[in-house]
Amino acid sequence: MIYPKRRFYGDKKPGGPFSKNDPLPSLDDFVRERAKKNMDVEYKGKPLPEEFDRPGVPKLYPFQKEAIHAVLSERVLFLDIFARGGKTRIILESLVRLKKRGEIRRALVVCYNVVSAYEWVKQSGLWAPELSVASLPAKTKQKVIEDALLFRGDVLFVTYGQLFTILTDLKAPQGGKGRKKFVLHDWERARAFSNLFDMVVFDESREMGSPGTITHLLCRFLGKNARRVVTMTATPFSHDPAPLWVQGHVLDGGATFGERFSLFRGLFYSQKKVPFGPGVIYTYRRSTSKALNKLFKNLALSYNTSEVGADFPEVSVQSLAVPMGHEQRQAYMKLMGQHVYEVAKANFQSKNGDRVSLQSSLMVFRQVASGFVYTSENAPALRFSPNPKLDETLNLIKEIEGRSKVVVFFWFKESGRMLAESLKSAKIAYATMFGGEKEASQHYQEFQQSPHIRVLLANAEQGGVGLNLSVADYVIFYEPPASFYIYHQAVRRVLVPGKKTPVFVYHLYSDQSIEKSLYSHFVEGKELWKEILDKDVSIEDVILGAF
């Protein structure tokens, strides 16, 4: 049988849409009833019940000690700590103490990807050598399930993808018609796995997915059965707080943000009908941000870089404009008269908050600015020659003196392939993290340890989250990521408290292109897509880098 969604959501009736039969409470009453405490007030600047520093290891920062105290004290907790703020060490130090006290038998840590799981295992050797830990290598589905169910150590590290593998099966719908779906089908296996752990930690908890997705439901299943649950990320949400509701729902079943997403949406979103069709568009009401933050503090202990008193390295950010090649510029301007431009213009004018449609319609402009374009769905990419931005990236790497290591972030896989071919032709040793590679952990380890490999080519989404890249002093963005959240996470990979060497960040962009618009907003901590939807701006200004 397929587990009914209403049992995860706590709905009163199947499907559980919020309706006039369930009157919407006032926002003030909702917050007053559910915001019972403020985690910042509870733990920041308060006397600690014990000494958390241990002999033989570097001392903890005061904010890290406060966070450990909170993990030890709370049954559910959201750690909202800036990227590279030591969340991994905080959790490992907490697990050591909880294990010694006999308060937990075994913990599960759900990681962003395989390389992130490898980093957790490595950090365990530094901060918690007394714990028996393991991760699950990429193997067949049956082998992954067997290794997971047979685990009897102290801490198991799995990825969100491996959680899928362990708990779900691909099943055909009843009657055999329609597409197969992943469902939590084998309840004996699911319960056996869940019962192994009495504490679950969700790293980069934004990866839990959207409300009602299978990833969200799997995380809620594990959280519901655990005695202790911790979620943690440096960016709980960006333009849309839906991921925040998911994370809160996994922690406490909706006791803080509402048992149903429809209730949360009714309180914090405005809605309007789609001009053509029966649908409804929901938009987050920023006027409710104070109320949302008050609820958030009921679960979350938050720290940003300005309040922790840590010694961060000096950061220099430089944007380098590169003119497009003649053929490349012709192709870019030609797009302005094609169907893709009309689609983008329609999205702009509708102002309906459809961020995904905006990004999709402008994707081809970003690709041409990076030096390639797809002429048809199944054909290989057409590359422009010359590609000044690719040449400038190579020159910049060559100019970096000594043994300083460099991380080059890209967004499109074709860009990664062009960069790899260029470095190979120049006989510069490099490692890659394109995403989906079986050898990703090995490449990550080689970049960190080998003095001969100075360059890491990393997809910003895969290599920019959950990793420690502090061995690098230089970061080059060959092209901007799709969002400020990913950009911010990627930059923070090389910034760690206590690092003595300065960090240099370079933005390469094709002049008079959409890339300039993206970078100019990232530097200000803003999302271009949100600014487009909130302000009166022309599509030409965005595409030609004037916004």
Side-chain angles (χ1 to χ4, degrees):
M1 59 177 283
I2 299 177
Y3 206 72
K5 284 187 178 181
R6 67 178 185 276
R7 295 178 62 185
F8 287 99
Y9 276 78
D11 287 341
K12 296 178 181 178
K13 42 189 178 293
F18 197 82
S19 68
K20 57 188 177 183
N21 296 324
D22 300 303
L24 189 69
S26 74
L27 184 57
D28 289 341
D29 289 344
F30 184 84
V31 173
R32 191 180 304 111
E33 178 185 345
R34 293 171 185 260
K36 302 294 185 183
K37 63 170 72 170
N38 185 312
M39 288 294 182
D40 288 353
V41 174
E42 294 270 339
Y43 293 101
K44 287 185 178 181
K46 297 299 176 66
L48 298 172
E50 59 183 287
E51 177 55 57
F52 290 120
D53 285 322
R54 295 186 291 165
V57 295
K59 289 188 176 182
L60 292 154
Y61 288 98
F63 80 92
Q64 293 174 330
K65 296 178 183 180
E66 293 169 353
I68 293 172
H69 180 205
V71 174
L72 299 178
S73 304
E74 300 292 336
R75 193 191 73 79
V76 297
L77 179 67
F78 195 129
L79 284 180
D80 172 31
I81 301 178
F82 58 92
R84 303 298 305 131
K87 293 187 289 293
T88 301
R89 184 180 180 185
I90 289 168
I91 292 299
L92 291 170
E93 295 268 8
S94 301
L95 292 177
V96 169
R97 288 165 174 78
L98 289 169
K99 184 75 176 174
K100 285 182 178 178
R101 295 177 181 180
E103 295 185 30
I104 62 169
R105 297 171 297 116
R106 196 173 294 114
L108 176 71
V109 178
V110 186
C111 311
Y112 179 69
N113 57 22
V114 174
V115 183
S116 178
Y118 164 82
E119 182 64 26
W120 271 93
V121 173
K122 178 184 173 183
Q123 294 291 321
S124 298
L126 292 175
W127 310 123
E130 54 268 76
L131 295 178
S132 171
V133 304
S135 61
L136 299 178
K139 299 178 180 178
T140 64
K141 176 180 176 70
Q142 191 57 40
K143 184 62 177 172
V144 168
I145 292 173
E146 288 177 5
D147 288 351
L149 294 177
L150 291 174
F151 179 75
R152 293 298 182 270
D154 296 322
V155 187
L156 178 64
F157 302 106
V158 303
T159 69
Y160 286 94
Q162 289 171 337
L163 209 59
F164 246 81
T165 301
I166 296 166
L167 295 178
T168 68
D169 297 290
L170 192 60
K171 295 290 182 182
Q174 293 181 355
K177 295 182 179 180
R179 297 176 61 182
K180 293 183 177 180
K181 295 182 180 180
F182 285 99
V183 295
L184 208 169
H185 181 78
D186 189 336
W187 281 98
E188 183 177 349
R189 183 176 79 214
R191 291 191 186 97
F193 179 72
S194 176
N195 290 338
L196 289 174
F197 309 100
D198 39 23
M199 180 171 180
V200 182
V201 178
F202 296 97
D203 191 15
E204 299 301 337
S205 50
R206 273 185 58 153
E207 296 305 308
M208 289 177 180
S210 302
T213 60
I214 187 66
T215 306
H216 161 215
L217 302 182
L218 293 178
C219 292
R220 172 58 187 149
F221 170 73
L222 291 173
K224 186 177 181 181
N225 292 320
R227 290 164 54 190
R228 290 175 176 267
V229 187
V230 177
T231 62
M232 56 186 195
T233 181
T235 315
F237 72 98
S238 54
H239 66 288
D240 182 356
L244 186 59
W245 179 86
V246 172
Q247 295 165 84
H249 186 249
V250 169
L251 279 171
D252 63 10
T256 298
F257 293 115
E259 293 76 8
R260 290 165 289 172
F261 180 61
S262 50
L263 171 59
F264 179 82
R265 191 168 56 190
L267 291 167
F268 293 98
Y269 290 71
S270 61
Q271 66 181 64
K272 64 179 180 180
K273 292 183 178 181
V274 176
F276 305 102
V280 176
I281 297 167
Y282 294 94
T283 305
Y284 170 50
R285 292 190 291 126
R286 297 197 169 268
S287 60
T288 64
S289 60
K290 288 186 178 180
L292 183 63
N293 186 63
K294 193 169 184 179
L295 289 171
F296 182 53
K297 292 302 179 184
N298 188 61
L299 292 172
L301 181 62
S302 302
Y303 293 96
N304 58 52
T305 55
S306 63
E307 64 178 321
V308 299
D311 184 20
F312 289 95
E314 181 182 347
V315 182
S316 173
V317 180
Q318 186 174 356
S319 296
L320 302 177
V322 182
M324 293 188 198
H326 178 70
E327 182 184 356
Q328 186 181 7
R329 172 58 69 184
Q330 279 190 324
Y332 195 84
M333 298 308 295
K334 188 177 180 180
L335 288 172
M336 299 286 285
Q338 294 182 353
H339 175 67
V340 64
Y341 171 79
E342 296 302 325
V343 172
K345 189 172 183 178
N347 276 303
F348 272 59
Q349 293 173 342
S350 67
K351 299 290 183 183
N352 62 13
D354 190 351
R355 177 172 174 264
V356 175
S357 295
L358 278 173
Q359 288 181 304
S360 298
S361 58
L362 293 172
M363 182 77 72
V364 66
F365 289 94
R366 296 177 58 207
Q367 291 172 344
V368 173
S370 290
F372 69 95
V373 67
Y374 290 101
T375 56
S376 63
E377 186 174 347
N378 298 319
L382 172 65
R383 297 179 181 179
F384 299 108
S385 182
N387 185 340
K389 190 166 69 164
L390 186 63
D391 296 338
E392 183 65 25
T393 304
L394 185 61
N395 291 335
L396 193 56
I397 293 171
K398 289 179 178 178
E399 290 173 4
I400 295 173
E401 299 178 354
R403 297 184 177 181
S404 297
K405 300 215 170 196
V406 186
V407 180
V408 182
F409 286 116
F410 60 89
W411 184 251
F412 301 109
K413 283 191 175 182
E414 185 64 24
S415 298
R417 286 190 282 265
M418 292 191 301
L419 287 163
E421 292 170 14
S422 183
L423 289 173
K424 187 176 181 179
S425 298
K427 297 182 179 179
I428 298 175
Y430 63 92
T432 60
M433 286 184 61
F434 278 39
E437 297 169 301
K438 292 183 179 179
E439 305 83 7
S441 297
Q442 180 184 340
H443 294 174
Y444 173 66
Q445 184 177 0
E446 289 173 351
F447 174 70
Q448 286 195 317
Q449 298 178 358
S450 173
H452 305 294
I453 299 178
R454 294 179 50 238
V455 181
L456 175 67
L457 299 179
N459 175 272
E461 193 166 26
Q462 297 298 317
V465 179
L467 303 184
N468 179 0
L469 298 176
S470 58
V471 295
D473 296 329
Y474 292 83
V475 176
I476 299 173
F477 284 92
Y478 175 76
E479 60 206 357
S483 74
F484 169 74
Y485 162 70
I486 298 172
Y487 168 81
H488 174 73
Q489 285 276 1
V491 171
R492 294 297 311 179
R493 293 307 102 205
V494 300
L495 303 179
V496 60
K499 182 173 179 175
K500 303 301 181 183
T501 55
V503 172
F504 301 89
V505 180
Y506 294 93
H507 304 152
L508 270 69
Y509 66 89
S510 292
D511 198 17
Q512 294 184 328
S513 78
I514 190 174
E515 292 184 330
K516 184 179 180 182
S517 298
L518 281 162
Y519 279 134
S520 63
H521 284 76
F522 289 169
V523 170
E524 297 176 6
K526 298 178 180 178
E527 285 277 13
L528 172 63
W529 317 110
K530 178 191 173 297
E531 294 294 302
I532 288 171
L533 295 168
D534 287 352
K535 296 181 178 179
D536 185 17
V537 57
S538 74
I539 181 174
E540 290 84 0
D541 285 347
V542 173
I543 292 175
L544 297 178
F547 174 60

